[in-house]
Amino acid sequence: MPVNKQIHLDNRPEGEATLGNFKLVTGETPALADNQVLVRHHFLSLDPYMRGRMNDSKSYAASQPVGHVFQGGTVGEVVESKHPKYKAGDKVVGFGGWQEYSVVDASQPGSLKKVDTTHVPLSHYLGAVGMPGVTAWYGLVKIIAPKEGDTVVITAASGAVGSAFGALAKARGCRVVGIAGGPDKCKYVTDELGFDACIDYRQHPDVKSMSAALKEACPKGIDGYFENVGGYIFDAVLLRCNAFARIALCGMIAGYDGAPLPLANPSLILINRLKIEGFIVSEHMEVWPEALAELGALVGSGKLRPRETIAQGIEAAPEAFLGLLKGRNFGKQLVKLI
């Protein structure tokens, strides 16, 4: 059986995560039992939510166990199978974690899924046509539920969720405004993703400045907001929300190191009768087929052109992940293993 390199969570971070929290481990893959499949991973997914799972604290998902393979999404190829529905050469998406190979019990529902790479590149099944894309779809369609002509705003607009959100919202006739870090990302958001405007948060580092930028970009106010970041940007958005605006609360990356993120003016929620709903996309598996069908069509037609940042080799995963948390990636952050 092949040698398997893995990244484990070696210890929990105290404050900001560091390279010292991770450990490279090498071992052999076990022999397959009935209904098991051996998958060689081509790409690992790196996502902001993983930072929260490094903490030993109450959250919507169980904490990442110390001393075990760091968990996360993967795409790859079946190299050996003892399950009748899978054969060597099948391209699959799963949750194999930060390692080069995984042994999967394919009899467990949702553990593995075959994918078609004819029109959609394999890596996109970890981004635009995967969990991030469905996240964007659910927040927009099921929570914000925009009408044609509505103004919608999203933070982290150049990332995997943001890029999908933009294409989905434009398809519904919305004015779409992004918030991203740096002129290059903002140019990509408007010129390639088709957003109507993009605000560089680095040029607007406080509530007053950000609120003024939002007023200019959203002259009719904000009808829907997709939150990935939290902090002062959330405060600024609340100042510009229209009555009965809807807010999909997906992530609060500004607080992943453990510091609380208080709201400056929560009375605006009452004044404007805002709807705020947090959600975890894995709790809504019933919408995935519909969402993935639309996302796949957008990618296949060229209306959604997701960008990727790719680190090379399993050893690069921890540093790439820490860079993601600092906004150093451009689009979906992946690790290529082959």
Side-chain angles (χ1 to χ4, degrees):
M1 300 297 286
V3 172
N4 186 25
K5 292 182 180 178
Q6 306 174 328
I7 299 292
H8 288 197
L9 179 64
D10 189 55
N11 54 81
R12 299 201 187 279
E14 297 181 7
E16 189 171 322
T18 69
L19 291 176
N21 299 131
F22 301 94
K23 182 179 181 180
L24 178 66
V25 177
T26 301
E28 292 185 354
T29 56
L32 297 185
D34 288 345
N35 291 321
Q36 289 186 333
V37 174
L38 177 63
V39 179
R40 184 179 187 184
H41 301 150
H42 289 206
F43 293 93
L44 309 180
S45 177
L46 304 184
D47 300 282
Y49 79 85
M50 295 173 175
R51 173 61 188 87
R53 298 190 71 245
M54 293 174 73
N55 299 331
D56 187 15
S57 58
K58 181 181 179 182
S59 185
Y60 55 81
S63 296
Q64 162 69 41
V66 172
H68 291 266
V69 175
F70 203 85
Q71 297 167 0
T74 51
V75 289
E77 182 176 343
V78 173
V79 294
E80 184 182 351
S81 175
K82 289 195 173 182
H83 191 284
K85 291 186 178 180
Y86 296 90
K87 64 181 186 301
D90 286 344
K91 299 298 191 297
V92 292
V93 58
F95 204 70
W98 292 14
Q99 55 183 339
E100 294 176 322
Y101 293 85
S102 63
V103 174
V104 182
D105 181 355
S107 65
Q108 295 296 315
S111 61
L112 208 60
K113 178 186 176 184
K114 283 191 277 191
V115 294
D116 184 357
T117 57
T118 305
H119 302 292
V120 177
L122 182 61
S123 59
H124 285 5
Y125 285 103
L126 292 176
V129 194
M131 181 272 290
V134 180
T135 298
W137 189 96
Y138 188 89
L140 177 70
V141 175
K142 295 299 184 180
I143 298 177
I144 295 173
K147 304 184 297 293
E148 185 174 356
D150 277 358
T151 296
V152 296
V153 177
I154 185 169
T155 45
S158 67
V161 174
S163 57
F165 180 92
L168 293 164
K170 290 303 295 182
R172 286 159 174 77
C174 296
R175 175 174 175 79
V176 189
V177 176
I179 300 173
D184 290 343
K185 289 184 178 181
C186 287
K187 181 176 174 61
Y188 164 69
V189 167
T190 55
D191 294 1
E192 292 191 44
L193 296 179
F195 281 59
D196 296 285
C198 188
I199 298 167
D200 182 355
Y201 69 78
R202 295 177 183 171
Q203 300 298 317
H204 304 282
D206 54 53
V207 172
K208 183 177 180 180
S209 178
M210 178 59 70
S211 179
L214 285 165
K215 183 177 182 180
E216 181 178 352
C218 309
K220 295 183 179 180
I222 297 171
D223 301 298
Y225 177 52
F226 193 107
E227 177 63 289
N228 290 306
V229 176
Y232 80 92
I233 297 176
F234 196 4
D235 288 324
V237 167
L238 290 178
L239 289 169
R240 296 297 168 197
C241 279
N242 292 327
F244 305 105
R246 291 83 60 200
I247 297 173
L249 191 57
C250 174
M252 304 286 277
I253 196 171
Y256 279 175
D257 288 337
L261 295 176
L263 286 175
N265 196 356
S267 63
L268 290 169
I269 298 170
L270 172 60
I271 292 169
N272 286 319
R273 287 86 79 207
L274 304 180
K275 173 188 174 182
I276 302 179
E277 183 175 340
F279 73 100
I280 308 301
V281 73
S282 60
E283 296 176 348
H284 304 281
M285 298 305 294
E286 73 282 355
V287 308
W288 282 57
E290 180 184 357
L292 290 172
E294 182 175 357
L295 292 159
L298 287 170
V299 170
S301 67
K303 293 179 181 179
L304 171 53
R305 293 182 288 174
R307 190 159 171 172
E308 298 172 333
T309 297
I310 299 177
Q312 297 289 334
I314 189 70
E315 295 87 352
E319 186 170 357
F321 175 64
L322 298 179
L324 164 71
L325 298 178
K326 298 290 187 183
R328 295 182 190 132
N329 63 302
F330 204 138
K332 174 66 185 179
Q333 179 67 62
L334 298 166
V335 179
K336 186 176 183 181
L337 301 181
I338 295 181

